[in-house]
Amino acid sequence: MEPVAPRGEGAAPMAEQLLARAGAPALMRAALVQLLEARPPEPLRFLEELFGAVAQGGPEAPSAERALWYLRLAPYTRRTAFNNNVSMAYECLCSAGRKKKPGLNGRAYSELLSRLCKEAKLPGEVTSPLLKKIRCRDHEAVPFDIFRYGTLTCFVLLEYMTKAGALYDLLSDSGAVDERVGLAVLETLEEALEASDCLVPASYLEAGSKLGPDSLALAMDKALLAKKPSSSMHREEFLGKAAALFLAKVKATH
């Protein structure tokens, strides 16, 4: 008589496969990293909100939705959590669909970057040149390093544009900035960006943070002392020029 397998034998591997297909291990890792970094006063409520965000997409949420969720979990300034979330997003996209070969192709990668920019309401005249630099061809395999560089660049640009907008608001008077002042400030910003590392997108913001009141005031005074006719520089023009300075430093990935 053949030995009878204990009841439940083989159930563990099946359970592990089920959890893996559902993305549960990656989800739990990401959630625990967030919990450890945030250290909220109510941990259970914190986890409930995190899992609730995923549940809104349903158990069969597309891999792109899950990847976006991972990427939005923590700002890039929280490096440990952000790096873990980028890894989870990449893993999620690489294992998308049972009929597809493992790995991330350029098309899915480019679509993800487009969504990040679109959902942040980044103007098309800024999004288009950015994507031309960091996207990959549809058929190309996208390695993790490229994926991380592209997503990080998007998030840094979004914050950079927010700070540029705040700078314009600080300079503006009656809804417009004197063109001489605007150009002088942009020139100072360009000089600061020259010292940044194109391979480290976050250094753009670190360079921008060096624009202290003294350097800006000096540039503005110098511009105003120049006895040249000047018109107004509107917000869209200022932000467009600021974005061009950033994009000029972004390294093309293809």
Side-chain angles (χ1 to χ4, degrees):
M1 179 181 296
E2 295 182 0
V4 178
R7 187 175 182 179
E9 185 174 322
M14 292 180 64
E16 291 178 0
Q17 293 175 10
L18 176 62
L19 292 173
R21 286 199 299 270
L27 177 61
M28 291 301 299
R29 287 198 299 271
L32 290 176
V33 169
Q34 297 303 314
L35 182 64
L36 291 173
E37 287 223 341
R39 298 183 183 278
E42 298 184 45
L44 292 180
R45 182 178 294 277
F46 179 83
L47 291 174
E48 179 183 4
E49 292 177 355
L50 283 180
F51 293 136
V54 176
Q56 290 179 359
E60 299 299 327
S63 58
E65 297 294 337
R66 291 193 176 190
L68 287 169
W69 181 80
Y70 285 128
L71 293 173
R72 297 189 192 106
L73 274 177
Y76 71 90
T77 51
R78 290 165 55 186
R79 295 185 180 181
T80 300
F82 181 77
N83 288 337
N84 180 75
N85 295 339
V86 171
S87 178
M88 295 301 99
Y90 183 75
E91 180 181 324
C92 183
L93 291 170
C94 285
S95 59
R98 299 180 182 178
K99 297 182 180 179
K100 295 181 179 180
K101 295 180 179 180
L104 175 62
N105 60 39
R107 181 177 180 179
Y109 167 63
S110 298
E111 289 177 350
L112 183 77
L113 297 180
S114 296
R115 285 195 57 179
L116 284 174
C117 295
K118 183 177 180 180
E119 292 179 5
K121 298 181 180 180
L122 198 64
E125 55 269 24
V126 176
T127 300
S128 181
L130 171 67
L131 295 182
K132 286 182 179 179
K133 282 197 166 188
I134 62 176
R135 69 184 180 188
C136 296
R137 296 180 179 85
D138 288 355
H139 63 278
E140 288 182 324
V142 181
F144 176 74
D145 289 345
I146 295 295
F147 178 78
R148 183 183 183 281
Y149 176 78
T151 53
L152 177 58
T153 300
C154 283
F155 282 113
V156 173
L157 175 57
L158 295 177
E159 184 173 352
Y160 171 88
M161 293 302 293
T162 298
K163 291 183 180 295
L167 179 58
Y168 181 88
D169 293 338
L170 184 65
L171 299 173
S172 65
D173 182 20
S174 300
V177 170
D178 186 292
E179 186 178 36
R180 294 169 297 178
V181 172
L183 292 175
V185 170
L186 288 169
E187 183 178 349
T188 305
L189 177 59
E190 182 177 16
E191 292 173 356
L193 288 174
E194 284 298 324
S196 63
D197 185 351
C198 65
L199 295 178
V200 184
S203 66
Y204 302 157
L205 292 179
E206 293 173 0
S209 67
K210 297 177 182 178
L211 296 176
D214 292 340
S215 61
L216 287 176
L218 182 63
M220 292 166 62
D221 288 343
K222 183 178 179 180
L224 291 174
L225 287 175
K227 297 181 179 180
K228 297 180 180 179
S230 177
S231 58
S232 297
M233 177 179 287
H234 295 282
R235 184 184 182 86
E236 292 75 15
E237 181 183 1
F238 182 86
L239 293 180
K241 292 181 180 297
L245 295 177
F246 181 98
L247 295 171
K249 294 289 294 180
V250 175
K251 181 182 178 181
T253 56
H254 56 83

